[in-house]
Structure formats: C-alpha cells, structure tokens
Amino acid sequence: MSARLETLVNDLARGALVPYLGPGALTGAVDPVTGEAIPADSDRLILAMNDGKPMSKRLMWEFPRAAMNVELKRGRAAVHRFLDTTYGQRAWTRAPLHDWLKTLRPAYAIDINRDTQLQESYADAPHTLIRGIARTGGTDYRFRIHAYDGTSYRELDQNAVDPGLPVLFKPMGSPRPDATYIASDADYVDYLTELMGGFGIPAFLKSSRVDRRYLFLGLSLRRDTERMVMSDIIYGAASPAGWALIPEPTDKERRYCESKDIVIVEADIPDLLAAAGWRGSPDTTG
C-alpha cells in the first residue's frame, strides 16, 4: 500500500495526475476560535444551513435536495447568503491537504467544494479560475472565467485564456472574486444538462483533458449528484481514468468505480500525506 501511495504522490508532483478534490479535502480546517469543523460534506452543510438542526430524512440525503427546500421556502438568495457567510466571511484554518498541494501548485486542479482554500494557495501566482453558473440568461454557457494576475481577478472570454497558466476549476462555485454557486436541485439540473451538452466546460479545457488521469481525494461516490458531475468533468480520460482514495468503499462505490475505470485505493488523505513525508506547514490559517 505504501508503495502505491508513494507512486501516486510522485505522479501528482510531476503533473501526471490531476487532483480532484471532494469534501474530505477540507478535513482539518476549523474555526480558529471555536474549533468547529468547516461545513464541507453534505450532512455538515445541511446542519449548518438549518441552524444546527437535522432536516427530514428525505432532505438529509444530500445537500442539493435540502437547499432546494430552503430555496422554495425562503428564496434562492437565502441559500447563497448562507454559502457567502460560510465561505466568504468566516475564517478557517488551512486543511493539511491544501497546505501540501500549495507546495506542488498543480497545473490543473478540480475542486467541487465552494470554499476559497484552493484559490488562496495560488494567491501570489497568476492563474485561470473557472467556476460553474446555473439558471442565468444571456449566455449558452454554464461557466465564468477569470484571469488572476497575482493581485486581482478580471473576467475574460474563453478564447482569451493564457494556456500557460495553471487552471483552477471549481464547478460548484466560490465567493471570490464575486459569488456564484451551484447549490440546489434546480441549479444542478440546469448545470448538468448543459455540462452533458458540452456547454459546461470551456473548449480549451475539453481539448486538454483528453487522456488525463485523476486522483480523487476526499470524494464519496455514494450519491448520484456528485457522481454525475464527476463523470462529465473527466469525460475523455485515459485508461485507467485514475485512482480514488476511499478508506472503506461500499459495494456501490466499487461497482461505480469499476464502471468508470477508476482504481480504488483503500486509504485516506492522511495516509497520502504520510507517504509524501508531509509534516505540515507553519502557516495554518486561511
């Protein structure tokens, strides 16, 4: 197992693997005052959105369903205010995985979380930021692109992207440079429809992703929504498509990964960091 993890570390470091970050990538990020873990996975997000109280069993199944319920009762803006407050206004310590990835600065990274830690890792480096959008008029596309010059972001057309810069793809959005999110069922229906139709990813990224391989970190593959997003984003991958760190995979996850030509590694992010010899960064606040 350690040899496999060391190989994955080396392949990630040399750019042979694209990191694909799920909610578990934020493990270890906490409120520096209270010690509360950052809401990242579905359950924590739902509880945080509902003032710490569980919702019905049907709504607790996944965050988009619960967010749709809040949207129907209080409006779409209520969901976005919650996400803005959580990820744009509160301070969180850095997750160990993000601190390690910052030392690697991958040329291409995918992050389905809505926080800013990945962007903060490139705060002193020019890069291209791609974020998903949904239920918006005036465009056929379901993404926005911003170029970062080392100081600030500016929006630009996909044909103006500098191909030599690192690409940060956050399909579910983030609060910076301005807020955009994919959150509720209605958002996902719109986004996934256009993603499957070819309008959710810029043309240059569709070309460059052919024959790529991925390392899935902190990603549960038990829920259909996250599986559909992942399947379309990695379309055109090599064989095998990549490796998924899942410490205790379910039968459903095993079958799904086999169908997508993804190899399961029964380990977790701390095991990967140990294989990398990572002992942490002195700068742990973000």
Side-chain angles (χ1 to χ4, degrees):
M1 179 63 71
S2 60
R4 167 62 64 85
L5 291 173
E6 289 172 7
T7 298
L8 294 177
V9 166
N10 292 333
D11 286 348
L12 193 63
R14 66 185 180 90
L17 293 175
V18 175
Y20 189 114
L21 308 181
L26 289 172
T27 298
V30 301
D31 184 306
V33 176
T34 68
E36 174 193 352
I38 188 172
D41 64 34
S42 183
D43 286 350
R44 287 186 186 274
L45 274 170
I46 294 171
L47 291 171
M49 183 173 60
N50 201 42
D51 297 323
K53 300 185 292 291
M55 301 178 78
S56 71
K57 184 177 181 180
R58 180 182 67 83
L59 297 177
M60 287 296 297
W61 171 241
E62 63 177 352
F63 176 69
R65 189 180 296 180
M68 190 75 242
N69 179 265
V70 171
E71 180 179 314
L72 290 172
K73 290 180 177 178
R74 295 161 46 201
R76 191 181 185 194
V79 177
H80 286 208
R81 281 195 301 270
F82 159 68
L83 294 171
D84 278 338
T85 299
T86 301
Y87 298 127
Q89 298 176 25
R90 292 186 63 178
W92 306 97
T93 63
R94 298 268 299 171
L97 178 65
H98 275 291
D99 274 343
W100 178 61
L101 287 176
K102 182 178 179 179
T103 69
L104 303 183
R105 290 270 177 85
Y108 177 33
I110 303 165
D111 180 11
I112 67 166
N113 298 301
R114 301 173 183 87
D115 69 295
T116 60
Q117 291 205 17
L118 181 64
Q119 290 171 246
E120 289 160 4
S121 294
Y122 291 75
D124 60 348
H127 60 265
T128 300
L129 174 67
I130 305 169
R131 297 179 300 161
I133 58 175
R135 299 155 69 190
T136 185
T139 177
D140 292 330
Y141 298 111
R142 289 299 178 263
F143 58 82
R144 293 175 64 199
I145 304 175
H146 285 80
Y148 186 75
D149 62 8
T151 303
S152 61
Y153 284 103
R154 64 179 177 86
E155 192 162 7
L156 75 167
D157 182 84
Q158 62 177 314
N159 297 317
V161 169
D162 182 344
L165 294 180
V167 174
L168 311 183
F169 186 16
K170 290 183 64 66
M172 306 300 96
S174 77
R176 298 175 191 158
D178 53 7
T180 178
Y181 302 108
I182 309 294
S184 69
D185 275 342
D187 290 338
Y188 276 95
V189 168
D190 179 74
Y191 181 70
L192 282 165
T193 298
E194 301 305 329
L195 189 62
M196 290 185 285
F199 294 98
I201 295 179
F204 76 89
L205 196 53
K206 284 192 280 189
S207 299
S208 65
R209 69 179 175 173
V210 175
D211 289 332
R212 292 266 199 176
R213 288 191 169 97
Y214 301 83
L215 182 58
F216 302 96
L217 300 167
L219 180 67
S220 168
L221 292 169
R222 291 173 293 174
R223 292 182 172 91
D224 291 338
T225 301
E226 289 181 347
R227 300 200 306 186
M228 288 189 289
V229 169
M230 182 269 280
S231 178
D232 282 312
I233 286 177
I234 71 167
Y235 182 82
S239 180
W243 289 261
L245 266 59
I246 306 177
E248 296 179 355
T250 63
D251 290 342
K252 184 176 182 179
E253 287 174 312
R254 290 184 187 278
R255 289 193 299 270
Y256 181 75
C257 286
E258 183 177 359
S259 73
K260 294 298 177 182
D261 201 12
I262 295 170
V263 179
I264 291 178
V265 178
E266 295 189 37
D268 211 344
I269 289 171
D271 303 309
L272 185 76
L273 296 179
W278 180 249
R279 292 183 173 84
S281 167
D283 179 13
T284 58
T285 302

